[in-house]
Amino acid sequence: MNRKPLLAGNWKMYKTSRQAREFFQDILARLNPFPADREVAFGVPFTSLEAAVQAVSGTPIIIAAQNVHWEPEGAFTGEVSAPMIAAAGAGAVIIGHSERRQLFGETGPGVNKKIKAVLPAGLRPIVCLGETLAEREAGLTFEVLAKQLAEALAGLEKAAPGALDLAYEPVWAIGTGRTATPETAQEAHAFIRGWLAEKISPAAAGATRLLYGGSVKPDNAAQLMAQPDIDGALVGGASLTADGFAKIIQYDRS
Ligand code: PEP
């Protein structure tokens, strides 16, 4: 199964629309020619969505939101819906990031509702999962991943294989500088792919891209990406500088 690698940045709560425009001017100059054998996406704050979409127009870069509400519209102060994100020109949404789960009370069933709202709006879900340090140390990693997968994908058994991307992001590796070793990441990815094969379908397991996230940097990207079940990276801190993220995008695939 040919899964085109996806390098996705997650800007979190960084960059105004002006800073976003400046960033894309810089990184597009560095990505010339644009590497055709990989996909690139950026999760930007809602306020920068339209500026980012304009800045990358005419390039293959996909702009993503970092969250979404599951209803199309309504009395939900402060929320933004999938049709609104699509109308802004975005192509994807990051769902269930561990910061949203830990700091904003995001739940597994909520993640599931968001995925189901995003797909019909023509947006690609990038769904995050991963264990905490305490869970890993207690030997619960696979149990936690299985629960998060079951919750996120409930009722989605008939979705087109490969309709969404999954990002394995061990919480202990996010923003800590402590990257999972390629072997540790591969082990978790192999578990996730096995779970998909068993609980959804072999076709879904073969078609679903599994991204690794957690302190990916220019000097460790190629090693991680060389693992057989790692199909991409979700990159926080290192996606904020054009120089660093261009190097990650241009990781050596040979
Ligand atoms: C993230 O925000 O999804 C992430 C992986 O962050 P960092 O790369 O900074 O660890």
Side-chain angles (χ1 to χ4, degrees):
M1 179 60 66
N2 184 23
R3 298 181 295 266
K4 197 170 188 178
L6 171 63
L7 292 313
N10 172 22
W11 281 357
K12 314 192 188 210
M13 199 171 73
Y14 291 99
K15 295 198 193 292
T16 63
S17 50
R18 181 178 166 174
Q19 290 168 329
R21 274 190 287 271
E22 287 166 0
F23 174 93
F24 283 114
Q25 209 173 13
D26 188 348
I27 199 163
L28 286 170
R30 294 169 192 270
L31 297 176
N32 193 9
F34 196 91
D37 63 346
R38 51 203 84 185
E39 282 181 20
V40 176
F42 285 89
V44 309
F46 288 129
T47 48
S48 296
L49 276 177
E50 289 200 346
V53 166
Q54 278 170 18
V56 304
S57 118
T59 80
I61 294 178
I62 297 159
I63 298 303
Q66 301 173 10
N67 186 27
V68 63
H69 193 273
W70 50 80
E71 292 293 340
E73 60 182 7
F76 301 105
T77 302
E79 295 292 326
V80 177
S81 73
M84 291 170 179
I85 292 166
V93 184
I94 298 170
I95 296 176
H97 191 279
S98 66
E99 285 154 16
R100 296 221 54 84
R101 293 183 194 250
Q102 295 206 311
L103 305 174
F104 301 101
E106 183 117 321
T107 64
V111 167
N112 179 252
K113 286 201 269 188
K114 291 179 180 192
I115 299 171
K116 287 174 175 164
V118 152
L119 287 170
L123 296 165
R124 188 171 185 81
I126 302 172
V127 182
C128 305
L129 57 153
E131 79 287 359
T132 62
L133 184 59
E135 288 163 343
R136 175 160 283 269
E137 287 178 345
L140 296 173
T141 298
F142 294 160
E143 210 171 300
V144 168
L145 294 179
K147 179 168 186 285
Q148 290 176 340
L149 284 163
E151 287 175 341
L153 302 181
L156 286 160
E157 294 79 7
K158 297 217 159 51
L164 53 80
D165 299 314
L166 295 173
Y168 169 63
E169 299 209 301
V171 178
W172 46 270
I174 296 179
T176 59
R178 185 178 165 190
T179 320
T181 63
E183 295 72 27
T184 302
Q186 165 59 26
E187 185 186 44
H189 283 228
F191 172 82
I192 293 168
R193 204 174 303 286
W195 188 96
L196 291 173
E198 190 188 324
K199 308 283 185 190
I200 306 285
S201 68
T208 303
R209 280 188 299 205
L210 305 182
L211 279 50
Y212 167 77
S215 299
V216 175
K217 307 282 179 226
D219 61 2
N220 60 25
Q223 261 185 310
L224 288 158
M225 295 294 296
Q227 298 299 313
D229 288 299
I230 299 186
D231 310 311
L234 184 55
V235 183
S239 73
L240 290 168
T241 61
D243 174 37
F245 198 51
K247 289 195 177 112
I248 291 175
I249 292 169
Q250 292 163 325
Y251 77 95
D252 185 1
R253 263 192 98 179
S254 58

